[in-house]
């Protein structure tokens, strides 16, 4: 489908907006977008009198009739694995379904990646296309770099980033899922670290990250964190991403405190100016994203309050991954009457109780870590209503923010709107949910029909065809 250029702009009519004020939320609006931003907003006197046409009726659509559907900020995947989605058929049958098995069968599939570049590319393209059709216009895409896959995942990711740049901002995060230390006896990092260093130098890479919990020891896990900060400083990378504290073990040490301690040692003392430490230039603190963090679910009220104080002035954002976390965590409680606990960060509760906004993201789709679900970020909100028992208007707004504004903040996007309702001069990145006139209905029962707008241009649309026997 051909879309309009930025210069021509678009006008969205008969659209509802997620105002808190019920009177404003009940109105239909006309929103004009020019040069990638919201130019004007005005309430309409009557619904259904628009001259707008369907985007399928015009090869260069400039008028969109939302027909009373609600418009939200576009969605954002703040944590998704571009290379490991849709590989469940390459992993064989799951026997235990636990983390160790997932690592094993995924490792076997990964070994084939370098010889299956076309498959890597097309699976990644499917992730991007389906995500945009659901309303996603930005994502942090983790691509693994290690001795098994080499740079094959990175090469595919960078090509996808370029090929789909008009439809979606694909932020490439080079990521070490495998240990940086080869064994408990190794004092120095191995080849995985060297490969990650090289990958972080590639044009188009803006994030470096790791999973410290896979290291052979807790000391090596802490050194893993140090090494990631070293790469960020030496390569002038402004964002780091840790998959951290992925357990529900009360006896494990929460490594979030190690991240905080290292940040304060490395960056806070220099207050944003360059300093030299150990022969390396240390610049301003990068933005830090913490994925999973299920261990924090075991924190007491006092521990949460202390954590909120500790991170209050630091650029740290947590990302909960409910589809993966709930599926994978708490298996030690399998034979107990109530089964596994809610092993994922309680997004609305933590925001309201401690003032910490948490993003949510899809993480994986159709692989051994997350066999179920789709790439639709809104489905996470629906799922979370039940998991968190959260259906009040305040809860629903918190959940929606987690897959839109908070997720965009987590990946370092700038000029993020202040609220779910647009304002003049906000970026014109939206999703229209046709057939859903309220935020509550959109979250509790998401629709199929959607229109995705990026930088003031229509980039995707989904329409269903229905038939009912007379």
């Amino acid at each position: 489908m051909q879309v309009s250029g930025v210069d021509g702009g678009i006008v969205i009519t008969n659209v509802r907006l997620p105002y808190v004020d019920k009177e404003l939320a009940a109105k239909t609006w006309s929103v004009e977008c020019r040069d990638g931003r919201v130019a004007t907003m005005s309430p309409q006197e009557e619904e259904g009198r628009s001259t707008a046409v369907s985007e399928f009726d015009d090869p260069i659509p400039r008028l969109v009739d939302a027909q009373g559907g609600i418009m939200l900020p576009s969605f954002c995947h703040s944590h998704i694995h571009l290379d490991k989605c849709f590989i469940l058929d390459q992993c064989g049958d799951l026997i235990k379904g636990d983390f160790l098995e997932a690592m094993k069968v995924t490792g076997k599939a990964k070994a084939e990646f370098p010889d299956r570049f076309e498959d890597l590319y097309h699976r990644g393209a499917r992730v991007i296309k389906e995500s945009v059709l659901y309303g996603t216009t930005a994502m942090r895409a983790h691509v693994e770099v290690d001795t098994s896959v080499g740079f094959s995942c990175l090469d595919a990711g960078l090509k996808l980033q370029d090929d789909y740049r008009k439809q979606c901002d694909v932020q490439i995060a080079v990521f070490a899922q495998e240990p940086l230390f080869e064994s408990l006896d190794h004092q120095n990092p191995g080849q995985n670290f060297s490969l990650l260093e090289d990958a972080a130098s590639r044009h188009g890479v803006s994030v470096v990250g790791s999973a410290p919990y896979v290291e052979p020891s807790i000391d090596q896990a802490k050194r893993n964190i140090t090494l990631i900060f070293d790469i960020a400083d030496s390569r002038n990378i402004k964002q780091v991403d840790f998959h951290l504290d992925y357990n529900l073990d009360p006896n494990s040490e929460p490594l979030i405190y190690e991240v905080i301690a290292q940040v304060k040692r490395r960056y806070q003392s220099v207050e944003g100016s360059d300093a030299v430490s150990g022969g390396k230039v240390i610049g301003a603190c990068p933005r830090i994203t913490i994925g999973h963090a299920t261990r924090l679910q075991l924190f007491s009220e006092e521990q949460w309050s202390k954590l909120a104080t500790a991170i209050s002035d630091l650029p740290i954002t947590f990302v909960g991954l409910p589809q993966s976390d709930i599926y994978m965590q708490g298996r030690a409680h399998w034979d107990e009457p109530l089964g596994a606990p809610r092993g994922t960060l309680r997004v609305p509760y933590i925001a309201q109780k401690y003032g910490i906004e948490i993003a949510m993201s899809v993480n994986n789709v159709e692989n051994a870590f997350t066999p179920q679900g789709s790439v639709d970020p809104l489905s996470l909100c629906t799922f979370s209503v039940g998991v968190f028992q959260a259906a009040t208007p305040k809860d629903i707004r918190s959940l929606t923010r987690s897959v839109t504004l908070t997720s965009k903040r987590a990946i370092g996007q700038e000029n993020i709107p202040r609220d779910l309702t647009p304002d003049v001069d906000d970026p014109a990145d939206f999703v229209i949910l046709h057939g859903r006139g309220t935020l509550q209905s959109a979250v509790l029962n998401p629709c199929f029909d959607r229109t995705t707008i990026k930088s003031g241009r229509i980039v995707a649309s989904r329409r269903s065809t229905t038939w009912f026997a007379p």
Side-chain angles (χ1 to χ4, degrees), residues 131-190:
S131 298
V132 174
L133 283 165
Y134 277 119
T136 301
T137 63
M139 67 175 65
R140 172 169 292 176
H142 294 284
V143 293
E144 296 191 17
V145 176
D146 53 47
T147 55
S148 174
V149 298
F151 297 132
S152 58
C153 300
L154 174 58
D155 290 339
L158 290 173
K159 179 170 173 53
L160 289 163
Q161 179 189 61
D162 185 58
D163 289 351
Y164 290 93
R165 65 187 182 280
K166 292 182 179 179
Q167 293 83 14
C168 187
D169 297 323
V170 180
Q171 184 186 85
I172 298 297
V174 290
F175 173 66
Q177 174 70 72
E178 306 295 332
L180 300 182
F181 294 89
E182 294 179 6
S183 73
L184 188 61
D185 299 328
H186 281 74
Q187 299 301 310
N188 297 315

Side-chain angles (χ1 to χ4, degrees), residues 1 3 55 129 132-133 450-453 458-462:
M1 169 178 139
V3 297
E55 52 266 42
K129 285 190 233 180
V132 174
L133 283 165
R450 306 184 190 188
T451 296
T452 307
I453 298 166
I458 300 169
V459 293
S461 186
R462 289 162 49 109

Side-chain angles (χ1 to χ4, degrees), residues 5 25 38 43 47 54-55 60 86 92 153 183 203 205 221 265 318 327 383 392 400-401 403 410 439 448 469:
V38 176
E47 184 181 345
S54 164
E55 52 266 42
I60 307 179
F86 306 119
C153 300
S183 73
H203 178 72
V205 171
R265 285 198 303 267
F318 294 100
Y327 172 75
F383 179 59
T392 68
T400 307
R401 288 179 66 91
V403 296
L439 184 59
F448 179 90

